[in-house]
Amino acid sequence: MLKITCPFCGPRTESEFIFGGPVGADRPDPNAVSDAQWVEYLTIVPNPLGPVQERWWHARGCGEWLTIWRDTRTHDIVEAPNGSE
């Protein structure tokens, strides 16, 4: 189980949080892209190896949204690559 550190509540177990998904590209305007691009956006889920920026909601705590970096190979929560967030 992941241990996620909430900046307001401190270290908590993953069971207090709801996964909000990876931080990704903005949703395209469906009227401005081709049908194939729209279908790809809706159906293709990236599955990268290594550090991924993710959103987590502290649903059973303070109710805040957090952005963390998690390594998909080890599930360890890591610092942002190159110090960026």
Side-chain angles (χ1 to χ4, degrees):
M1 179 173 289
L2 289 175
K3 288 279 190 174
I4 300 172
T5 300
C6 174
F8 304 103
C9 305
R12 298 290 194 257
T13 62
E14 177 184 356
S15 63
E16 290 189 18
F17 295 84
I18 295 176
F19 180 64
V23 174
D26 292 334
R27 179 183 170 130
D29 178 358
N31 298 315
V33 296
S34 69
D35 288 345
Q37 290 170 315
W38 182 242
V39 169
E40 181 176 333
Y41 172 79
L42 293 174
T43 59
I44 304 298
V45 178
N47 190 16
L49 288 176
V52 175
Q53 194 175 22
E54 298 175 333
R55 299 283 290 156
W56 289 80
W57 178 40
H58 197 178
R60 292 172 190 84
C62 62
E64 292 294 319
W65 280 92
L66 312 174
T67 301
I68 63 170
W69 286 89
R70 182 179 61 87
D71 191 318
T72 59
R73 296 168 293 196
T74 62
H75 298 292
D76 291 335
I77 295 174
V78 296
E79 293 296 319
N82 302 324
S84 62
E85 288 196 79

